[in-house]
Amino acid sequence: MLDVRRVLLLVEAAERGSLTSAAEALRITPSAASQQMSRLEAEVGQPLLYRLPRGVQLTDAGHALAERGRAIRRELRGAQADLTSLATLDEGTLRLGSFPTASASLLPLALTRFSRKHPGIRTTVRSALFAELVELLHTGEIELAMLWDYDWDRADATSLVVDHLLDDPTVLVVPANSELLEEDSIGLADLAGHQWIIRADNHPVAEVLRRSCRLAGFDPIISYESHDYQEAQAMVAAGLGIAIAPRLALTNRRHDVRLVNFATDVPAPTRRILLARPANRTPTPAAAAMTEILHAVSQKFTDTNLHLAQLGTVRARGAG
């Protein structure tokens, strides 16, 4: 295999007519240039240059190799331009993974900011369940994935680098005309006699409800199993029962339901919203830029949630 750097030295000598000028262009000494050219000639097994009193002249073999060298130099310059474009986010692709709650709340704002700042980057998003998102990370089909976890099942793993984006509190969802809104404070144990709207298909929020109610001393009475949060809100508005949900899942809240914040001592856990990438891969410039934007957007949602809590949500006292 020929040494590419020596071939490029031959190209420079051919174009400049001098090994000394070629050495200056490549920022090496004339002595080093002469040594490298001798080694190249040894590699190809025939002379490539005639050394003249002033400058050099290519042999037929030198002309043939220099012509190939120009093509190599052209491709290398093109490769460098491609890498520069990727590094400066002028072009490229970013592959993300997400889940429905994040896709309906955090992600749209992050994607809008990213596309405005880096219009040359093409972004794709895969929506999937937790286990599939982790698998897509490991297979390299996505670079970043938005994940979630609760304190009884943390997503921290040695194979992933996990960034905490924000805490997503569990809130109570009641009809807009609910008598519960007239209470000064609501304990979870006070809700034992109510019927509940729950998520179907062993959804994580269904586990949250059952765990929380059991810690408060009762098993929830289930009146309806919904397949998404809009359906759950509709059933709450219709008076079929009350529900709990992560606040981010209710970014698009119906006008005929209200949200009630639980106090910190109520056993209604907060889930973490996370951003994960494989630990064995260095993030691309595009992935690093999106990570920064997602942190900024998450802070905006955190500030909004705090503001809403201060404005008028009912705080429930701890059960028991």
Side-chain angles (χ1 to χ4, degrees), residues 294-305:
L294 278 168
H295 275 286
V297 169
S298 297
Q299 185 59 52
K300 177 181 176 66
F301 272 79
T302 298
D303 294 343
T304 299
N305 283 344

Side-chain angles (χ1 to χ4, degrees), residues 13-279:
E15 293 180 348
R16 298 173 186 277
S18 165
L19 263 181
T20 300
S21 297
E24 290 176 357
L26 297 177
R27 297 182 179 180
I28 60 176
T29 65
S31 175
S34 180
Q35 291 175 6
Q36 293 300 315
M37 188 55 58
S38 295
R39 290 176 183 173
L40 180 60
E41 289 178 321
E43 286 176 347
V44 301
Q46 55 186 305
L48 299 171
L49 297 172
Y50 296 119
R51 274 75 169 175
L52 305 175
R54 290 187 176 182
V56 294
Q57 182 178 337
L58 271 63
T59 65
D60 289 343
H63 278 294
L65 186 55
E67 189 60 31
R68 296 286 187 181
R70 290 186 182 93
I72 293 170
R73 184 178 63 182
R74 185 165 53 249
E75 289 300 316
L76 288 173
R77 287 175 175 174
Q80 185 60 57
D82 289 344
L83 293 173
T84 299
S85 292
L86 292 171
T88 56
L89 300 175
D90 293 328
E91 62 180 54
T93 301
L94 175 63
R95 304 180 310 279
L96 298 175
S98 185
F99 60 97
T101 301
S103 296
S105 55
L106 294 171
L107 195 54
L109 180 55
L111 289 172
T112 299
R113 289 188 180 185
F114 186 85
S115 63
R116 287 175 179 169
K117 193 172 183 180
H118 309 293
I121 302 294
R122 176 176 175 265
T123 305
T124 63
V125 182
R126 293 277 298 271
S127 181
L129 299 175
F130 186 100
E132 185 179 354
L133 289 172
V134 172
E135 179 65 19
L136 290 171
L137 282 173
H138 290 320
T139 59
E141 294 177 68
I142 58 176
E143 300 171 67
L144 298 172
M146 300 191 69
L147 302 175
W148 72 96
D149 71 7
Y150 288 96
D151 60 3
W152 61 81
D153 187 20
R154 289 304 192 198
D156 300 324
T158 56
S159 61
L160 298 175
V161 175
V162 177
D163 282 348
H164 174 227
L165 293 178
L166 77 159
D167 290 328
D168 189 15
T170 298
V171 295
L172 181 67
V173 187
V174 300
N177 60 354
S178 173
E179 294 179 355
L180 292 172
L181 296 172
E182 299 176 5
E183 301 292 333
D184 292 333
S185 61
I186 301 173
L188 190 60
D190 298 330
L191 304 174
H194 286 264
Q195 296 190 93
W196 291 86
I197 313 298
I198 198 171
R199 287 298 302 270
D201 303 323
N202 296 316
H203 191 278
V205 171
E207 184 178 5
V208 170
L209 177 64
R210 291 192 172 97
R211 281 176 174 267
S212 301
C213 291
R214 286 167 186 164
L215 285 172
F218 69 96
D219 288 319
I221 304 169
I222 308 303
S223 61
Y224 190 84
E225 295 188 3
S226 68
H227 292 275
D228 60 53
Y229 289 110
Q230 284 300 110
E231 182 184 7
Q233 288 187 69
M235 293 301 101
V236 170
L240 199 59
I242 58 178
I244 63 170
R247 179 175 283 280
L248 280 183
L250 303 170
T251 301
N252 298 315
R253 180 176 60 84
R254 290 174 58 103
H255 73 279
D256 47 7
V257 300
R258 297 290 182 269
L259 307 184
V260 178
N261 277 349
F262 287 109
T264 56
D265 56 346
V266 171
T270 293
R271 71 174 179 176
R272 299 189 307 170
I273 305 298
L274 311 168
L275 184 65
R277 64 173 175 84

Side-chain angles (χ1 to χ4, degrees), residues 3-18:
D3 188 304
V4 172
R5 291 171 296 181
R6 293 169 186 161
V7 174
L8 296 178
L9 173 62
L10 175 66
V11 172
E12 292 292 336
E15 293 180 348
R16 298 173 186 277
S18 165

